[in-house]
Amino acid sequence: MPDDLAMPMEVASQNKPKKKKKKKKSKKANLPEAGSAMADDYEEKYQEDPIENPYNPERPLAERVEYAIWKYRKNHTFSPSTNRLAIFENYLRFGGITVGPNAYQGGATGGDQDADGEPDNESSKMGNVIVPEEDEDEELEVNFTEVAQVYLGNTFIREGNFIAQEDFVDAPNLVDAFLRYLEIRKVCPEHLEDILRARKIVAKAKEELPRCKSIMMALPGTFNSACGLLFGGTAKDAWAVDTSWMGATMATQNQIELFLSDRFGVSDSDAIALVEPLIPNTKDRTIVEEKENLFVQVTDIESFPADAPATHLVKVTLADRAKRADTLTLRLEKEIVEKMLVGMSLTVTARKLDSGDWFLDHGRMVVPTFYMDDDCMDPDIFFYA
């Protein structure tokens, strides 16, 4: 362009550098993850309270706990790549606390503000929390210990809402962190001993719940799958594939057997080699007794060498929880038994051979040693997860 000509306005505006918009920092930035441990001198990012002395013992318990839940969620983040928020709210609901949708329409409500009075859209996406208040005609039962014991020792597993190994690690961490928050913030000092007892239960849950999930994933094990293939059961029914209708060649049949071998961990020929040394005459054996979906407790685990291979079989004795005198003994791989503890319970379907040997068809719903019945759950509804 000649020097004496002015640059057109349209071109000038196109060449003008655009201002970069500053990315607004999330209100949840630098907040600890929910479920993380807290020090005695833990300081919250949002310390200001919109109400004066919210944990005054003179205030109703429901009001104090409701505020503590709001403040805990305000000062912690729930990673969207996990089920932590869903687990936390599930725990609150189980404890009798109503957690409902906040009718989020893309903006914060008057109650969804940060410590500076600014709208907090992230917090507004969480559910409202309502803690039941004491009624003059009906006394409100407060029992942190029982809620923790039944929820983590029974309902969390039984409902089957959360099935990942990570969930079984997160659940007790979330419950313990919230109880710890109630403790250090002196939210309900009149229930401190109860909260401390609940935390002892949760400490067991941190150790046992991941074990329970690992056992559920491993059962029935290779040996019992082999027994199922040879003597009858879920594995044998699945193994019975009729290929005559497709005019399958030997190569096709071999491919099908290879697939089923991968699925159940053992092939038909391997099953014989694995079972025959312990249960002779496998071809002549018949099933003489069956127990379907029996809820049993581990009462004894045979000792085994620490350096034994993972496939080493160990005898485990189970007792019917309804009839303690009725017992059965199974063989399980060491890699499964290592996760087990005497006192754990599980639901099993087992079959007895004419040789007197029992084998496990399948096992489900492994629960920890501190299992407690859920009196509020419909007895006709039982999840074999």
Side-chain angles (χ1 to χ4, degrees):
M1 177 181 294
D3 295 338
D4 57 342
L5 292 180
M7 183 179 292
M9 291 293 294
E10 183 178 349
V11 176
S13 62
Q14 289 178 357
N15 294 340
K16 186 177 181 180
K18 294 182 180 180
K19 291 184 178 180
K20 292 184 178 180
K21 291 184 179 180
K22 290 184 178 180
K23 190 175 181 181
K24 192 173 181 181
K25 197 172 183 180
S26 171
K27 299 289 184 182
K28 296 293 183 179
N30 302 321
L31 290 181
E33 182 71 24
S36 56
M38 295 180 207
D40 291 335
D41 58 351
Y42 163 70
E43 293 186 3
E44 297 172 314
K45 179 178 179 180
Y46 301 116
Q47 298 183 23
E48 296 82 357
D49 294 311
I51 59 177
E52 185 179 354
N53 198 5
Y55 303 134
N56 186 337
E58 296 299 319
R59 292 184 181 275
L61 175 63
E63 184 179 313
R64 284 177 276 151
V65 174
E66 190 173 312
Y67 183 85
I69 294 171
W70 174 83
K71 197 68 180 291
Y72 180 80
R73 298 199 304 189
K74 171 73 70 175
N75 284 282
H76 290 80
T77 183
F78 292 83
S79 175
S81 63
T82 70
N83 290 321
R84 288 175 192 146
L85 178 58
I87 293 171
F88 183 61
E89 292 188 344
N90 186 248
Y91 160 68
L92 295 178
R93 289 190 190 96
F94 179 78
I97 297 172
T98 302
V99 181
N102 204 26
Y104 179 65
Q105 301 294 328
T109 65
D112 297 314
Q113 298 176 345
D114 62 17
D116 300 322
E118 295 294 327
D120 186 352
N121 292 327
E122 295 185 27
S123 290
S124 69
K125 296 176 185 178
M126 296 182 178
N128 280 328
V129 174
I130 302 175
V131 179
E133 297 182 0
E134 291 183 308
D135 192 297
E136 293 182 359
D137 300 326
E138 185 177 349
E139 184 178 355
L140 177 66
E141 181 182 358
V142 179
N143 195 326
F144 291 98
T145 303
E146 186 171 318
V147 169
Q149 185 166 356
V150 178
Y151 180 71
L152 293 174
N154 181 345
T155 307
F156 173 78
I157 301 172
R158 187 179 184 184
E159 286 182 340
N161 291 328
F162 308 101
I163 60 175
Q165 181 79 39
E166 182 183 26
D167 298 335
F168 281 65
V169 174
D170 287 341
N173 286 335
L174 287 163
V175 174
D176 187 53
F178 180 64
L179 292 174
R180 171 70 170 150
Y181 187 83
L182 298 180
E183 176 190 347
I184 64 177
R185 288 288 174 260
K186 298 180 174 58
V187 176
C188 35
E190 68 273 36
H191 295 287
L192 178 59
E193 291 186 4
D194 184 22
I195 291 173
L196 295 177
R197 286 194 300 270
R199 292 195 64 207
K200 288 182 179 179
I201 292 293
V202 179
K204 288 186 178 181
K206 290 181 181 181
E207 167 66 22
E208 296 186 26
L209 255 63
R211 288 172 175 259
C212 291
K213 182 59 182 179
S214 296
I215 295 169
M216 282 188 278
M217 293 175 66
L219 290 176
T222 304
F223 176 79
N224 287 286
S225 292
C227 289
L229 289 176
L230 297 177
F231 308 125
T234 303
K236 187 170 184 177
D237 293 342
W239 194 268
V241 178
D242 182 13
T243 58
S244 60
W245 63 273
M246 66 174 78
T249 63
M250 182 61 69
T252 302
Q253 292 174 352
N254 289 339
Q255 287 296 321
I256 292 174
E257 181 166 337
L258 180 61
F259 165 76
L260 294 174
S261 177
D262 290 339
R263 171 66 179 81
F264 294 102
V266 62
S267 67
D268 198 17
S269 57
D270 290 339
I272 296 174
L274 182 60
V275 176
E276 186 74 28
L278 295 170
I279 306 177
N281 305 317
T282 53
K283 293 183 179 180
D284 300 325
R285 294 297 171 207
T286 58
I287 294 174
V288 296
E289 185 179 353
E290 299 183 6
K291 293 185 181 293
E292 297 280 345
N293 293 325
L294 186 68
F295 194 37
V296 297
Q297 186 174 41
V298 179
T299 58
D300 185 65
I301 299 175
E302 180 186 43
S303 59
F304 53 89
D307 59 350
T311 55
H312 177 77
L313 293 174
V314 180
K315 291 183 179 180
V316 176
T317 303
L318 308 173
D320 185 344
R321 288 187 64 99
K323 299 178 181 178
R324 307 293 296 187
D326 292 350
T327 63
L328 61 145
T329 300
L330 300 172
R331 295 181 178 93
L332 296 171
E333 283 80 10
K334 174 194 168 187
E335 60 186 351
I336 299 176
V337 175
E338 283 179 323
K339 303 291 185 182
M340 282 187 167
L341 296 172
V342 171
M344 284 183 170
S345 299
L346 64 156
T347 303
V348 301
T349 291
R351 312 190 192 282
K352 185 179 182 180
L353 300 172
D354 56 359
S355 63
D357 297 284
W358 285 92
F359 71 90
L360 181 65
D361 185 85
H362 57 262
R364 299 175 179 140
M365 205 194 87
V366 182
V367 294
T369 60
F370 55 88
Y371 168 86
M372 179 184 285
D373 288 334
D374 184 354
D375 296 332
C376 297
M377 182 170 279
D378 186 342
D380 295 329
I381 300 176
F382 202 89
F383 299 87
Y384 300 105

